[in-house]
Amino acid sequence: MRRRKLIVLVVAVAAIVGAGAFAVFAADRVKGSAAGTAAAYFAAWRKGDVLGMERLVHQPPADFVTRHRALSEELHVESLALTPGPLRRTGEESAEVPFAGVRRLAELGAWPFDGTLRLAVRDRAWKVLWTPETLHPLLKDGARLELGEIETTSAEFVTSEGDRIPHDSYADAYLDPLKPEFAEAHTGWQLLLKTPGQPDRSLLSKQPAANVERTTLSRSVQAAAARALDAVDDSTIVVVRPSTGEILGLADRLKDNYSAVRDVFPPGSIFKTVTAAALVQHGLDPQAEVPCPGSYTVPGFRTIRNDGEVDRGIITFTDAFAHSCNTTFVEQATNRLTSAALAETAAAWGFGRQMVTGIGGSCGTVPATDSVDTFAEDVIGQGEVVTTPLCMAALAAAVENGTWRSPRLLSKEQVRRVDGVTSEDVRMDQRVVQALRDMMAAVVDHGTASGMGLPAGVAGKTGTAETPDGRPHAWFIGYRDDLAFCVFVRHGGSGRGAAVPIAVRFLNGL
């Protein structure tokens, strides 16, 4: 009996000891795993289950849910992608999981970031050790993220094809002043990091789109014009489409703030195009034989000389134009024309006429004079005659097309907006036009621009204008098909030596 009681007592003691050991084992057991907790947290984060995330965090801040939802709302987050890396043990009861994330913002697109999810055993369970950097690594030291609007007023000009204006096009001086006229307000966005005590840092931005306006500039023509001037300072090329008046190219490298559109210069022999028009209109046949002596003295007045005093004898008026005989033009003009008649013809070909371009501009002047000496100089583009490269490009275009049109850099509607008016096209005397075409073709065929490498089909006129303050100005105007141009090199020397080579590079570069 005593033995049976002893056995029962031993069993009871063993049971009590076993129960106590089980209780100790159960009390020391850790709930879950680091990998399981991390996977559950990422799954809840992807779904936007912020309450589910909060339950997995050790001592989450009171604003945990609010902070997550506010970030998504304020940054206009459309989606969130998370890619966890492998779990790394950092101790017996700690671990971390590196991860890559991509938030897609409605206004700014994809915004990638890298983070680390830290975990540890707390209260016998694996928990997330959350800090603001878990939400985004930049959210430390009280930093916050802010999405803001950027508002600017701007305009951008493009070519007629809709392309950007070529780099180093030498057209900025004309396009930049137009921008305020066409600028419109547009809104962009930027994501800022705001850290107390530090300057704001831009993380992402989307600049406002400028108001885009098309010009008449042709990308290929503008590029060819600019490249033709690359090696020549103080020069310009103006290119016009004769059939419309559109400025296809406007490359301006003139120095000292001179403008190919607004500033006037003595034209020299390219003005003989206007004088020839006046002489033909007043009865001089282009094939009429005329003298071209080395020098000619206007009876009772001054003496005019050819370049080098070259005496060509008796030649046709067309050849006198081709070889740019000063003496022929002065003799014929002083015998057949008056100063007023020359000024009237110049006015018909654009001088003194309003240039409605969208960028301002003038054509020049041919003042009537009572001085025979001044008139003799005016006839050959010296004296008081002055013009702009823009005007002479328009004149060459009128010869090619038979109609004078004001050059324009913008559409007719845009020009009306800037200038308030548009210009009327003027049909020229077709008999005079045809005579000028033949004369300008002769210049390239066997005259002052011959043998220079100009492409087939080019017609033109060279000019060398004496100046009181340095070397002569060099000019060359011309056209080929539906493209007319004026090349001007300020103080460049002779038209043949300085201006024609630029035209060759330009035309061959198209």
Side-chain angles (χ1 to χ4, degrees), residues 266-304:
S269 291
I270 59 169
F271 186 73
K272 288 173 183 168
T273 310
V274 174
T275 306
L279 288 169
V280 171
Q281 193 168 17
H282 284 77
L284 181 57
D285 190 294
Q287 295 307 311
E289 293 187 337
V290 292
C292 176
S295 63
Y296 172 75
T297 300
V298 181
F301 296 94
R302 66 165 298 175
T303 298
I304 301 293

Side-chain angles (χ1 to χ4, degrees), residues 296-355:
Y296 172 75
T297 300
V298 181
F301 296 94
R302 66 165 298 175
T303 298
I304 301 293
R305 292 177 174 81
N306 288 333
D307 184 25
E309 292 196 49
V310 175
D311 185 340
R312 296 189 180 275
I314 302 298
I315 56 177
T316 66
F317 181 50
T318 295
D319 283 347
F321 183 90
H323 294 293
S324 203
C325 289
N326 292 337
T327 55
T328 301
F329 272 78
V330 171
E331 180 179 6
Q332 297 302 317
T334 53
N335 282 289
R336 294 173 179 269
L337 302 175
T338 63
S339 176
L342 181 63
E344 182 180 350
T345 300
W349 286 88
F351 282 77
R353 190 174 290 159
Q354 184 178 17
M355 304 289 274

Side-chain angles (χ1 to χ4, degrees), residues 71-90:
L71 181 71
S72 294
E73 292 172 2
E74 290 172 5
L75 301 190
H76 302 171
V77 178
E78 294 182 321
S79 64
L80 171 66
L82 297 167
T83 306
L87 182 140
R88 296 192 297 252
R89 285 281 186 173
T90 58

